[in-house]
Amino acid sequence: MAVRVSEELGCKLGSKVGYHIGMESFREEKCSIVYMTYGILIQQLLFMERLPYTHIILDEIHETSLEMDFTFVALKKIINAKY
């Protein structure tokens, strides 16, 4: 998906659009869009004091899973703590 979106935007993969899947991360510091797995997002939600994102889009939310439920709980806690 990151490759396709970077092609559509006409930019080099990793510059504006990147990904972080498992132990593999391909993105520059000022990357605007980062595609990642729930596992990576959950780790960031748990261990980072402040997320470097302004928006988080969750895909496939109609598929119920323990990871998805945990992601919702973690996001809700962060949102409630901010406001």
Side-chain angles (χ1 to χ4, degrees), residues 35-83:
Y35 290 90
M36 64 183 68
T37 60
Y38 290 118
I40 298 296
L41 178 60
I42 289 169
Q43 284 180 347
Q44 292 183 4
L45 291 171
L46 291 175
F47 299 112
M48 295 178 99
E49 285 188 30
R50 184 176 181 280
L51 290 176
Y53 314 116
T54 58
H55 297 76
I56 296 174
I57 300 170
L58 300 173
D59 190 20
E60 302 293 337
I61 62 170
H62 64 280
E63 294 182 10
T64 304
S65 71
L66 187 57
E67 286 179 325
M68 179 62 80
D69 292 344
F70 191 76
T71 302
F72 282 136
V73 169
L75 284 172
K76 184 175 181 183
K77 285 187 175 239
I78 287 173
I79 290 169
N80 287 341
K82 280 183 116 176
Y83 301 103

Side-chain angles (χ1 to χ4, degrees), residues 7 12 34 42 51:
E7 288 173 355
K12 181 180 81 169
V34 181
I42 289 169
L51 290 176

